[in-house]
Amino acid sequence: MTSFDSSPQLNVWRALLALAVVFVMLATTGWTAVRHHRGVASPLRTALTAWEHGRINGHALPAPDGSPTRLAHFFASLTPHQRNVLAVRYPLAVGNMNGAPVQLRYSANRTALGQARRVEYQRMHDDRLSSVGHADARQRMKRFALLAHPDRKILAFDPLGNGRVAEVFGDLDKAQRVSVVVPGVDTNVLTFQRTFRKYSAPVGMARSLYAAERTASPGTRTAVIAWADYTAPVGLGVDAATSMRADDGAVRLNAMLRGLPGSSPVALYCHSYGSVVCGVAAHRLPARVSDIAVAGSPGMRADNASGLGTHARVWATRDKDDWIQDVPNMEVGGLGHGADPVSTAFGARVVSAANAKGHTGYFVPGTESLSNFAEIGTGSYRSVRCAGANQDCREGFSGGAST
């Protein structure tokens, strides 16, 4: 739901839901099944398997999917040289390992991106591919080259299929407050960053939020993560109408959060289908997650904020011409995402999105949605602007900044 600005007709959406019912029924009766990348070896899985059989100084390496705390202790026990050896030897594994030092992950992912870029270069000259395949390889090669720039801080990267990636803005190790942007449908390695309509893409959203937070509270050290490290739905099909992608995304989101360094408060900013991911993840969020803010949400798979099962404050916003308001707020047989987060009955703190336009305008500079996100991200809750004349969104806060 990230890439759609104009309002689809309500009857079209209902038709899609009806078709989704048919496809789900067919899938569950064995007529059809969704299988992505069948027969294609996952570079990340291959890297993790190599890690599982690896050794350092004669000692076996810990399980790559072990707890972030255990992995952090393992890396802390190594010398800088030993850590670098592992990053060079297993770049894709280390680059995606929650609990590994973030600076080491950045370095490992630069290496992994360089390797992926060479693979795409070979695909560009593979005579077995069509012209479309060659063009895709060229696009991916260029994207990987941009992401591999020494100035960029890539926290996660997986080249398989449409690709997954996460990037950090700011100093994650020293941040007093951390924000995580969780985007919606049609998010992949090629749409991670855009030149045109840049604030509709994860990089543009995160950069804009990072700048707004520094303006809102210059003395607060912040870091923002553009987190597109889950397989998002493509278009308004079956995947977008169910929680199938959100279920996996929620697991990955919580794993990432538990692997973050330090203990600073974390705020989640969940756009469109990203709010479904955050809703599914909510009941297992680590205690350091203090706030969940959703924008342009189709629902969070809960009847109300308390039903999310989280201690985090829940904020919601929607601009007046966002087409998402035309999507039926229902959940029937796994289809649809439930109650409207900006409704009074849901119980979220509803904030203003004045000046935001369309479904993807919430992070555009000059909008009240962005300034509200920045106030939330820096803990300046009393400065948040509520929707309309409703001041309930600031209930329970006193003074200026709050932690």
Side-chain angles (χ1 to χ4, degrees), residues 86-123:
L86 291 178
V88 171
R89 190 179 296 169
Y90 311 104
L92 204 55
V94 174
N96 288 277
M97 200 168 291
N98 295 309
V102 293
Q103 297 295 332
L104 191 67
R105 292 178 68 171
Y106 301 157
S107 176
N109 281 320
R110 276 193 289 274
T111 301
L113 281 158
Q115 293 175 347
R117 183 175 180 273
R118 289 190 287 275
V119 169
E120 298 304 328
Y121 179 80
Q122 293 173 349
R123 289 182 64 232

PDB file of all heavy atoms in Angstrom, residues 86-123:
ATOM      1  N   LEU A  86      35.950 -12.954  10.463  1.00  0.00           N
ATOM      2  CA  LEU A  86      34.624 -13.548  10.284  1.00  0.00           C
ATOM      3  C   LEU A  86      33.764 -12.731   9.329  1.00  0.00           C
ATOM      4  O   LEU A  86      33.010 -13.288   8.527  1.00  0.00           O
ATOM      5  CB  LEU A  86      33.928 -13.680  11.642  1.00  0.00           C
ATOM      6  CG  LEU A  86      34.523 -14.707  12.609  1.00  0.00           C
ATOM      7  CD1 LEU A  86      33.769 -14.687  13.937  1.00  0.00           C
ATOM      8  CD2 LEU A  86      34.487 -16.113  12.001  1.00  0.00           C
ATOM      9  N   ALA A  87      33.868 -11.403   9.405  1.00  0.00           N
ATOM     10  CA  ALA A  87      33.075 -10.550   8.524  1.00  0.00           C
ATOM     11  C   ALA A  87      33.483 -10.712   7.068  1.00  0.00           C
ATOM     12  O   ALA A  87      32.647 -10.654   6.164  1.00  0.00           O
ATOM     13  CB  ALA A  87      33.215  -9.089   8.946  1.00  0.00           C
ATOM     14  N   VAL A  88      34.771 -10.920   6.836  1.00  0.00           N
ATOM     15  CA  VAL A  88      35.275 -11.116   5.467  1.00  0.00           C
ATOM     16  C   VAL A  88      34.948 -12.527   4.974  1.00  0.00           C
ATOM     17  O   VAL A  88      34.588 -12.730   3.812  1.00  0.00           O
ATOM     18  CB  VAL A  88      36.795 -10.869   5.418  1.00  0.00           C
ATOM     19  CG1 VAL A  88      37.367 -11.285   4.063  1.00  0.00           C
ATOM     20  CG2 VAL A  88      37.105  -9.401   5.683  1.00  0.00           C
ATOM     21  N   ARG A  89      35.040 -13.491   5.878  1.00  0.00           N
ATOM     22  CA  ARG A  89      34.815 -14.889   5.490  1.00  0.00           C
ATOM     23  C   ARG A  89      33.333 -15.198   5.304  1.00  0.00           C
ATOM     24  O   ARG A  89      32.948 -15.956   4.407  1.00  0.00           O
ATOM     25  CB  ARG A  89      35.401 -15.803   6.575  1.00  0.00           C
ATOM     26  CG  ARG A  89      35.445 -17.275   6.193  1.00  0.00           C
ATOM     27  CD  ARG A  89      36.065 -18.083   7.329  1.00  0.00           C
ATOM     28  NE  ARG A  89      37.462 -17.702   7.557  1.00  0.00           N
ATOM     29  CZ  ARG A  89      38.174 -18.093   8.616  1.00  0.00           C
ATOM     30  NH1 ARG A  89      37.598 -18.829   9.554  1.00  0.00           N
ATOM     31  NH2 ARG A  89      39.438 -17.732   8.741  1.00  0.00           N
ATOM     32  N   TYR A  90      32.484 -14.606   6.144  1.00  0.00           N
ATOM     33  CA  TYR A  90      31.039 -14.866   6.083  1.00  0.00           C
ATOM     34  C   TYR A  90      30.268 -13.539   6.065  1.00  0.00           C
ATOM     35  O   TYR A  90      29.476 -13.250   6.973  1.00  0.00           O
ATOM     36  CB  TYR A  90      30.591 -15.673   7.308  1.00  0.00           C
ATOM     37  CG  TYR A  90      31.436 -16.890   7.603  1.00  0.00           C
ATOM     38  CD1 TYR A  90      32.366 -16.869   8.657  1.00  0.00           C
ATOM     39  CD2 TYR A  90      31.299 -18.065   6.866  1.00  0.00           C
ATOM     40  CE1 TYR A  90      33.141 -17.988   8.949  1.00  0.00           C
ATOM     41  CE2 TYR A  90      32.064 -19.183   7.151  1.00  0.00           C
ATOM     42  CZ  TYR A  90      32.996 -19.138   8.188  1.00  0.00           C
ATOM     43  OH  TYR A  90      33.755 -20.245   8.476  1.00  0.00           O
ATOM     44  N   PRO A  91      30.464 -12.728   5.039  1.00  0.00           N
ATOM     45  CA  PRO A  91      29.876 -11.373   5.069  1.00  0.00           C
ATOM     46  C   PRO A  91      28.356 -11.340   5.138  1.00  0.00           C
ATOM     47  O   PRO A  91      27.788 -10.549   5.901  1.00  0.00           O
ATOM     48  CB  PRO A  91      30.393 -10.744   3.766  1.00  0.00           C
ATOM     49  CG  PRO A  91      30.734 -11.894   2.883  1.00  0.00           C
ATOM     50  CD  PRO A  91      31.228 -12.969   3.807  1.00  0.00           C
ATOM     51  N   LEU A  92      27.687 -12.187   4.371  1.00  0.00           N
ATOM     52  CA  LEU A  92      26.225 -12.150   4.369  1.00  0.00           C
ATOM     53  C   LEU A  92      25.666 -12.662   5.686  1.00  0.00           C
ATOM     54  O   LEU A  92      24.643 -12.155   6.174  1.00  0.00           O
ATOM     55  CB  LEU A  92      25.686 -12.983   3.197  1.00  0.00           C
ATOM     56  CG  LEU A  92      24.287 -12.628   2.683  1.00  0.00           C
ATOM     57  CD1 LEU A  92      24.193 -11.163   2.295  1.00  0.00           C
ATOM     58  CD2 LEU A  92      23.925 -13.508   1.484  1.00  0.00           C
ATOM     59  N   ALA A  93      26.331 -13.624   6.297  1.00  0.00           N
ATOM     60  CA  ALA A  93      25.883 -14.141   7.589  1.00  0.00           C
ATOM     61  C   ALA A  93      26.076 -13.094   8.681  1.00  0.00           C
ATOM     62  O   ALA A  93      25.141 -12.778   9.430  1.00  0.00           O
ATOM     63  CB  ALA A  93      26.646 -15.417   7.932  1.00  0.00           C
ATOM     64  N   VAL A  94      27.276 -12.533   8.779  1.00  0.00           N
ATOM     65  CA  VAL A  94      27.562 -11.539   9.815  1.00  0.00           C
ATOM     66  C   VAL A  94      26.730 -10.278   9.604  1.00  0.00           C
ATOM     67  O   VAL A  94      26.231  -9.674  10.559  1.00  0.00           O
ATOM     68  CB  VAL A  94      29.064 -11.197   9.841  1.00  0.00           C
ATOM     69  CG1 VAL A  94      29.353 -10.050  10.813  1.00  0.00           C
ATOM     70  CG2 VAL A  94      29.885 -12.429  10.224  1.00  0.00           C
ATOM     71  N   GLY A  95      26.539  -9.886   8.355  1.00  0.00           N
ATOM     72  CA  GLY A  95      25.788  -8.668   8.062  1.00  0.00           C
ATOM     73  C   GLY A  95      24.335  -8.731   8.477  1.00  0.00           C
ATOM     74  O   GLY A  95      23.690  -7.697   8.659  1.00  0.00           O
ATOM     75  N   ASN A  96      23.804  -9.947   8.629  1.00  0.00           N
ATOM     76  CA  ASN A  96      22.400 -10.121   9.019  1.00  0.00           C
ATOM     77  C   ASN A  96      22.243 -10.715  10.412  1.00  0.00           C
ATOM     78  O   ASN A  96      21.149 -11.126  10.793  1.00  0.00           O
ATOM     79  CB  ASN A  96      21.696 -11.031   8.005  1.00  0.00           C
ATOM     80  CG  ASN A  96      21.459 -10.345   6.677  1.00  0.00           C
ATOM     81  OD1 ASN A  96      20.489  -9.620   6.501  1.00  0.00           O
ATOM     82  ND2 ASN A  96      22.373 -10.546   5.739  1.00  0.00           N
ATOM     83  N   MET A  97      23.322 -10.716  11.192  1.00  0.00           N
ATOM     84  CA  MET A  97      23.312 -11.403  12.473  1.00  0.00           C
ATOM     85  C   MET A  97      22.943 -10.458  13.609  1.00  0.00           C
ATOM     86  O   MET A  97      23.735  -9.599  14.007  1.00  0.00           O
ATOM     87  CB  MET A  97      24.674 -12.051  12.725  1.00  0.00           C
ATOM     88  CG  MET A  97      24.654 -13.148  13.753  1.00  0.00           C
ATOM     89  SD  MET A  97      26.213 -14.101  13.748  1.00  0.00           S
ATOM     90  CE  MET A  97      26.093 -14.951  12.167  1.00  0.00           C
ATOM     91  N   ASN A  98      21.737 -10.607  14.140  1.00  0.00           N
ATOM     92  CA  ASN A  98      21.304  -9.787  15.267  1.00  0.00           C
ATOM     93  C   ASN A  98      22.138 -10.130  16.493  1.00  0.00           C
ATOM     94  O   ASN A  98      22.180 -11.277  16.922  1.00  0.00           O
ATOM     95  CB  ASN A  98      19.821 -10.023  15.548  1.00  0.00           C
ATOM     96  CG  ASN A  98      18.945  -9.556  14.407  1.00  0.00           C
ATOM     97  OD1 ASN A  98      19.075  -8.435  13.944  1.00  0.00           O
ATOM     98  ND2 ASN A  98      18.058 -10.425  13.927  1.00  0.00           N
ATOM     99  N   GLY A  99      22.799  -9.134  17.041  1.00  0.00           N
ATOM    100  CA  GLY A  99      23.707  -9.346  18.157  1.00  0.00           C
ATOM    101  C   GLY A  99      25.140  -9.058  17.786  1.00  0.00           C
ATOM    102  O   GLY A  99      25.974  -8.777  18.656  1.00  0.00           O
ATOM    103  N   ALA A 100      25.458  -9.099  16.489  1.00  0.00           N
ATOM    104  CA  ALA A 100      26.794  -8.720  16.039  1.00  0.00           C
ATOM    105  C   ALA A 100      26.949  -7.208  16.162  1.00  0.00           C
ATOM    106  O   ALA A 100      25.967  -6.466  16.018  1.00  0.00           O
ATOM    107  CB  ALA A 100      27.020  -9.163  14.598  1.00  0.00           C
ATOM    108  N   PRO A 101      28.162  -6.709  16.432  1.00  0.00           N
ATOM    109  CA  PRO A 101      28.362  -5.260  16.521  1.00  0.00           C
ATOM    110  C   PRO A 101      27.896  -4.568  15.244  1.00  0.00           C
ATOM    111  O   PRO A 101      28.171  -5.047  14.136  1.00  0.00           O
ATOM    112  CB  PRO A 101      29.875  -5.122  16.712  1.00  0.00           C
ATOM    113  CG  PRO A 101      30.314  -6.435  17.272  1.00  0.00           C
ATOM    114  CD  PRO A 101      29.411  -7.465  16.655  1.00  0.00           C
ATOM    115  N   VAL A 102      27.183  -3.460  15.378  1.00  0.00           N
ATOM    116  CA  VAL A 102      26.598  -2.827  14.191  1.00  0.00           C
ATOM    117  C   VAL A 102      27.668  -2.353  13.210  1.00  0.00           C
ATOM    118  O   VAL A 102      27.477  -2.437  11.995  1.00  0.00           O
ATOM    119  CB  VAL A 102      25.647  -1.666  14.581  1.00  0.00           C
ATOM    120  CG1 VAL A 102      24.424  -2.204  15.289  1.00  0.00           C
ATOM    121  CG2 VAL A 102      26.347  -0.622  15.419  1.00  0.00           C
ATOM    122  N   GLN A 103      28.793  -1.851  13.706  1.00  0.00           N
ATOM    123  CA  GLN A 103      29.854  -1.413  12.800  1.00  0.00           C
ATOM    124  C   GLN A 103      30.385  -2.587  11.989  1.00  0.00           C
ATOM    125  O   GLN A 103      30.722  -2.434  10.806  1.00  0.00           O
ATOM    126  CB  GLN A 103      30.989  -0.746  13.590  1.00  0.00           C
ATOM    127  CG  GLN A 103      30.600   0.520  14.331  1.00  0.00           C
ATOM    128  CD  GLN A 103      30.188   1.650  13.393  1.00  0.00           C
ATOM    129  OE1 GLN A 103      30.636   1.723  12.249  1.00  0.00           O
ATOM    130  NE2 GLN A 103      29.339   2.533  13.883  1.00  0.00           N
ATOM    131  N   LEU A 104      30.468  -3.751  12.611  1.00  0.00           N
ATOM    132  CA  LEU A 104      30.913  -4.946  11.905  1.00  0.00           C
ATOM    133  C   LEU A 104      29.881  -5.351  10.854  1.00  0.00           C
ATOM    134  O   LEU A 104      30.243  -5.787   9.753  1.00  0.00           O
ATOM    135  CB  LEU A 104      31.130  -6.084  12.901  1.00  0.00           C
ATOM    136  CG  LEU A 104      31.847  -7.328  12.363  1.00  0.00           C
ATOM    137  CD1 LEU A 104      33.300  -6.996  12.026  1.00  0.00           C
ATOM    138  CD2 LEU A 104      31.798  -8.465  13.387  1.00  0.00           C
ATOM    139  N   ARG A 105      28.595  -5.208  11.192  1.00  0.00           N
ATOM    140  CA  ARG A 105      27.537  -5.526  10.229  1.00  0.00           C
ATOM    141  C   ARG A 105      27.603  -4.589   9.031  1.00  0.00           C
ATOM    142  O   ARG A 105      27.432  -5.028   7.883  1.00  0.00           O
ATOM    143  CB  ARG A 105      26.161  -5.455  10.898  1.00  0.00           C
ATOM    144  CG  ARG A 105      25.933  -6.546  11.926  1.00  0.00           C
ATOM    145  CD  ARG A 105      24.586  -6.434  12.615  1.00  0.00           C
ATOM    146  NE  ARG A 105      23.464  -6.718  11.712  1.00  0.00           N
ATOM    147  CZ  ARG A 105      22.215  -6.854  12.117  1.00  0.00           C
ATOM    148  NH1 ARG A 105      21.916  -6.729  13.406  1.00  0.00           N
ATOM    149  NH2 ARG A 105      21.249  -7.110  11.245  1.00  0.00           N
ATOM    150  N   TYR A 106      27.851  -3.309   9.272  1.00  0.00           N
ATOM    151  CA  TYR A 106      27.974  -2.374   8.153  1.00  0.00           C
ATOM    152  C   TYR A 106      29.090  -2.814   7.205  1.00  0.00           C
ATOM    153  O   TYR A 106      28.931  -2.834   5.979  1.00  0.00           O
ATOM    154  CB  TYR A 106      28.285  -0.957   8.654  1.00  0.00           C
ATOM    155  CG  TYR A 106      27.282  -0.344   9.600  1.00  0.00           C
ATOM    156  CD1 TYR A 106      27.664   0.683  10.458  1.00  0.00           C
ATOM    157  CD2 TYR A 106      25.959  -0.767   9.638  1.00  0.00           C
ATOM    158  CE1 TYR A 106      26.762   1.273  11.329  1.00  0.00           C
ATOM    159  CE2 TYR A 106      25.042  -0.193  10.511  1.00  0.00           C
ATOM    160  CZ  TYR A 106      25.458   0.829  11.364  1.00  0.00           C
ATOM    161  OH  TYR A 106      24.564   1.405  12.226  1.00  0.00           O
ATOM    162  N   SER A 107      30.229  -3.149   7.779  1.00  0.00           N
ATOM    163  CA  SER A 107      31.378  -3.563   6.982  1.00  0.00           C
ATOM    164  C   SER A 107      31.087  -4.854   6.225  1.00  0.00           C
ATOM    165  O   SER A 107      31.394  -4.977   5.030  1.00  0.00           O
ATOM    166  CB  SER A 107      32.600  -3.746   7.898  1.00  0.00           C
ATOM    167  OG  SER A 107      33.707  -4.242   7.182  1.00  0.00           O
ATOM    168  N   ALA A 108      30.490  -5.825   6.915  1.00  0.00           N
ATOM    169  CA  ALA A 108      30.174  -7.101   6.286  1.00  0.00           C
ATOM    170  C   ALA A 108      29.193  -6.925   5.137  1.00  0.00           C
ATOM    171  O   ALA A 108      29.327  -7.542   4.070  1.00  0.00           O
ATOM    172  CB  ALA A 108      29.602  -8.061   7.319  1.00  0.00           C
ATOM    173  N   ASN A 109      28.207  -6.053   5.312  1.00  0.00           N
ATOM    174  CA  ASN A 109      27.211  -5.849   4.263  1.00  0.00           C
ATOM    175  C   ASN A 109      27.783  -5.107   3.062  1.00  0.00           C
ATOM    176  O   ASN A 109      27.318  -5.313   1.936  1.00  0.00           O
ATOM    177  CB  ASN A 109      25.989  -5.129   4.826  1.00  0.00           C
ATOM    178  CG  ASN A 109      25.067  -6.067   5.576  1.00  0.00           C
ATOM    179  OD1 ASN A 109      24.851  -7.200   5.146  1.00  0.00           O
ATOM    180  ND2 ASN A 109      24.531  -5.630   6.706  1.00  0.00           N
ATOM    181  N   ARG A 110      28.774  -4.251   3.273  1.00  0.00           N
ATOM    182  CA  ARG A 110      29.444  -3.641   2.124  1.00  0.00           C
ATOM    183  C   ARG A 110      30.112  -4.717   1.278  1.00  0.00           C
ATOM    184  O   ARG A 110      30.064  -4.679   0.042  1.00  0.00           O
ATOM    185  CB  ARG A 110      30.465  -2.601   2.585  1.00  0.00           C
ATOM    186  CG  ARG A 110      29.870  -1.232   2.858  1.00  0.00           C
ATOM    187  CD  ARG A 110      30.941  -0.167   3.013  1.00  0.00           C
ATOM    188  NE  ARG A 110      31.679  -0.313   4.259  1.00  0.00           N
ATOM    189  CZ  ARG A 110      31.295   0.204   5.414  1.00  0.00           C
ATOM    190  NH1 ARG A 110      30.164   0.898   5.485  1.00  0.00           N
ATOM    191  NH2 ARG A 110      32.024   0.041   6.500  1.00  0.00           N
ATOM    192  N   THR A 111      30.738  -5.684   1.952  1.00  0.00           N
ATOM    193  CA  THR A 111      31.349  -6.795   1.230  1.00  0.00           C
ATOM    194  C   THR A 111      30.299  -7.629   0.519  1.00  0.00           C
ATOM    195  O   THR A 111      30.451  -7.990  -0.653  1.00  0.00           O
ATOM    196  CB  THR A 111      32.151  -7.691   2.192  1.00  0.00           C
ATOM    197  OG1 THR A 111      33.178  -6.912   2.825  1.00  0.00           O
ATOM    198  CG2 THR A 111      32.793  -8.859   1.456  1.00  0.00           C
ATOM    199  N   ALA A 112      29.207  -7.941   1.226  1.00  0.00           N
ATOM    200  CA  ALA A 112      28.134  -8.748   0.637  1.00  0.00           C
ATOM    201  C   ALA A 112      27.505  -8.039  -0.554  1.00  0.00           C
ATOM    202  O   ALA A 112      27.174  -8.675  -1.567  1.00  0.00           O
ATOM    203  CB  ALA A 112      27.082  -9.057   1.697  1.00  0.00           C
ATOM    204  N   LEU A 113      27.329  -6.740  -0.456  1.00  0.00           N
ATOM    205  CA  LEU A 113      26.764  -5.971  -1.571  1.00  0.00           C
ATOM    206  C   LEU A 113      27.702  -5.981  -2.768  1.00  0.00           C
ATOM    207  O   LEU A 113      27.254  -6.050  -3.923  1.00  0.00           O
ATOM    208  CB  LEU A 113      26.485  -4.536  -1.116  1.00  0.00           C
ATOM    209  CG  LEU A 113      25.204  -4.357  -0.301  1.00  0.00           C
ATOM    210  CD1 LEU A 113      25.264  -3.086   0.541  1.00  0.00           C
ATOM    211  CD2 LEU A 113      23.983  -4.319  -1.228  1.00  0.00           C
ATOM    212  N   GLY A 114      28.990  -5.910  -2.502  1.00  0.00           N
ATOM    213  CA  GLY A 114      29.951  -5.993  -3.591  1.00  0.00           C
ATOM    214  C   GLY A 114      29.881  -7.330  -4.296  1.00  0.00           C
ATOM    215  O   GLY A 114      29.946  -7.402  -5.540  1.00  0.00           O
ATOM    216  N   GLN A 115      29.727  -8.396  -3.531  1.00  0.00           N
ATOM    217  CA  GLN A 115      29.592  -9.723  -4.123  1.00  0.00           C
ATOM    218  C   GLN A 115      28.306  -9.831  -4.937  1.00  0.00           C
ATOM    219  O   GLN A 115      28.298 -10.386  -6.046  1.00  0.00           O
ATOM    220  CB  GLN A 115      29.625 -10.782  -3.022  1.00  0.00           C
ATOM    221  CG  GLN A 115      30.960 -10.893  -2.311  1.00  0.00           C
ATOM    222  CD  GLN A 115      30.933 -11.875  -1.148  1.00  0.00           C
ATOM    223  OE1 GLN A 115      29.862 -12.305  -0.696  1.00  0.00           O
ATOM    224  NE2 GLN A 115      32.100 -12.240  -0.646  1.00  0.00           N
ATOM    225  N   ALA A 116      27.210  -9.312  -4.384  1.00  0.00           N
ATOM    226  CA  ALA A 116      25.927  -9.355  -5.096  1.00  0.00           C
ATOM    227  C   ALA A 116      25.988  -8.529  -6.378  1.00  0.00           C
ATOM    228  O   ALA A 116      25.385  -8.896  -7.391  1.00  0.00           O
ATOM    229  CB  ALA A 116      24.818  -8.841  -4.185  1.00  0.00           C
ATOM    230  N   ARG A 117      26.705  -7.426  -6.324  1.00  0.00           N
ATOM    231  CA  ARG A 117      26.857  -6.578  -7.511  1.00  0.00           C
ATOM    232  C   ARG A 117      27.578  -7.337  -8.627  1.00  0.00           C
ATOM    233  O   ARG A 117      27.197  -7.251  -9.799  1.00  0.00           O
ATOM    234  CB  ARG A 117      27.630  -5.306  -7.154  1.00  0.00           C
ATOM    235  CG  ARG A 117      27.791  -4.318  -8.293  1.00  0.00           C
ATOM    236  CD  ARG A 117      28.459  -3.041  -7.799  1.00  0.00           C
ATOM    237  NE  ARG A 117      28.629  -2.070  -8.865  1.00  0.00           N
ATOM    238  CZ  ARG A 117      29.679  -2.039  -9.685  1.00  0.00           C
ATOM    239  NH1 ARG A 117      30.665  -2.919  -9.521  1.00  0.00           N
ATOM    240  NH2 ARG A 117      29.748  -1.129 -10.642  1.00  0.00           N
ATOM    241  N   ARG A 118      28.587  -8.125  -8.267  1.00  0.00           N
ATOM    242  CA  ARG A 118      29.315  -8.897  -9.277  1.00  0.00           C
ATOM    243  C   ARG A 118      28.436  -9.985  -9.885  1.00  0.00           C
ATOM    244  O   ARG A 118      28.531 -10.286 -11.082  1.00  0.00           O
ATOM    245  CB  ARG A 118      30.582  -9.502  -8.661  1.00  0.00           C
ATOM    246  CG  ARG A 118      31.659  -8.451  -8.359  1.00  0.00           C
ATOM    247  CD  ARG A 118      32.985  -9.083  -7.983  1.00  0.00           C
ATOM    248  NE  ARG A 118      32.970  -9.673  -6.656  1.00  0.00           N
ATOM    249  CZ  ARG A 118      33.208  -9.002  -5.549  1.00  0.00           C
ATOM    250  NH1 ARG A 118      33.457  -7.695  -5.581  1.00  0.00           N
ATOM    251  NH2 ARG A 118      33.203  -9.620  -4.374  1.00  0.00           N
ATOM    252  N   VAL A 119      27.566 -10.559  -9.072  1.00  0.00           N
ATOM    253  CA  VAL A 119      26.620 -11.553  -9.588  1.00  0.00           C
ATOM    254  C   VAL A 119      25.698 -10.922 -10.631  1.00  0.00           C
ATOM    255  O   VAL A 119      25.447 -11.498 -11.699  1.00  0.00           O
ATOM    256  CB  VAL A 119      25.787 -12.162  -8.437  1.00  0.00           C
ATOM    257  CG1 VAL A 119      24.627 -12.992  -8.980  1.00  0.00           C
ATOM    258  CG2 VAL A 119      26.673 -13.007  -7.536  1.00  0.00           C
ATOM    259  N   GLU A 120      25.200  -9.721 -10.328  1.00  0.00           N
ATOM    260  CA  GLU A 120      24.305  -9.044 -11.268  1.00  0.00           C
ATOM    261  C   GLU A 120      25.047  -8.627 -12.539  1.00  0.00           C
ATOM    262  O   GLU A 120      24.476  -8.637 -13.636  1.00  0.00           O
ATOM    263  CB  GLU A 120      23.664  -7.828 -10.605  1.00  0.00           C
ATOM    264  CG  GLU A 120      22.785  -8.151  -9.409  1.00  0.00           C
ATOM    265  CD  GLU A 120      21.687  -9.142  -9.727  1.00  0.00           C
ATOM    266  OE1 GLU A 120      21.183  -9.159 -10.871  1.00  0.00           O
ATOM    267  OE2 GLU A 120      21.327  -9.932  -8.831  1.00  0.00           O
ATOM    268  N   TYR A 121      26.305  -8.278 -12.405  1.00  0.00           N
ATOM    269  CA  TYR A 121      27.106  -7.928 -13.581  1.00  0.00           C
ATOM    270  C   TYR A 121      27.214  -9.128 -14.516  1.00  0.00           C
ATOM    271  O   TYR A 121      27.096  -8.996 -15.747  1.00  0.00           O
ATOM    272  CB  TYR A 121      28.498  -7.461 -13.163  1.00  0.00           C
ATOM    273  CG  TYR A 121      29.392  -7.095 -14.331  1.00  0.00           C
ATOM    274  CD1 TYR A 121      29.280  -5.854 -14.962  1.00  0.00           C
ATOM    275  CD2 TYR A 121      30.338  -8.010 -14.824  1.00  0.00           C
ATOM    276  CE1 TYR A 121      30.083  -5.519 -16.047  1.00  0.00           C
ATOM    277  CE2 TYR A 121      31.140  -7.693 -15.904  1.00  0.00           C
ATOM    278  CZ  TYR A 121      31.014  -6.445 -16.505  1.00  0.00           C
ATOM    279  OH  TYR A 121      31.808  -6.126 -17.583  1.00  0.00           O
ATOM    280  N   GLN A 122      27.411 -10.315 -13.930  1.00  0.00           N
ATOM    281  CA  GLN A 122      27.469 -11.531 -14.744  1.00  0.00           C
ATOM    282  C   GLN A 122      26.122 -11.815 -15.393  1.00  0.00           C
ATOM    283  O   GLN A 122      26.058 -12.241 -16.558  1.00  0.00           O
ATOM    284  CB  GLN A 122      27.896 -12.709 -13.862  1.00  0.00           C
ATOM    285  CG  GLN A 122      29.332 -12.608 -13.364  1.00  0.00           C
ATOM    286  CD  GLN A 122      29.683 -13.699 -12.356  1.00  0.00           C
ATOM    287  OE1 GLN A 122      28.801 -14.426 -11.860  1.00  0.00           O
ATOM    288  NE2 GLN A 122      30.960 -13.814 -12.028  1.00  0.00           N
ATOM    289  N   ARG A 123      25.034 -11.563 -14.675  1.00  0.00           N
ATOM    290  CA  ARG A 123      23.697 -11.769 -15.240  1.00  0.00           C
ATOM    291  C   ARG A 123      23.435 -10.824 -16.407  1.00  0.00           C
ATOM    292  O   ARG A 123      22.752 -11.184 -17.368  1.00  0.00           O
ATOM    293  CB  ARG A 123      22.621 -11.559 -14.166  1.00  0.00           C
ATOM    294  CG  ARG A 123      22.558 -12.641 -13.114  1.00  0.00           C
ATOM    295  CD  ARG A 123      21.429 -12.383 -12.126  1.00  0.00           C
ATOM    296  NE  ARG A 123      20.131 -12.436 -12.794  1.00  0.00           N
ATOM    297  CZ  ARG A 123      19.196 -11.490 -12.714  1.00  0.00           C
ATOM    298  NH1 ARG A 123      19.413 -10.394 -12.008  1.00  0.00           N
ATOM    299  NH2 ARG A 123      18.040 -11.636 -13.326  1.00  0.00           N
TER     300      ARG A 123
END
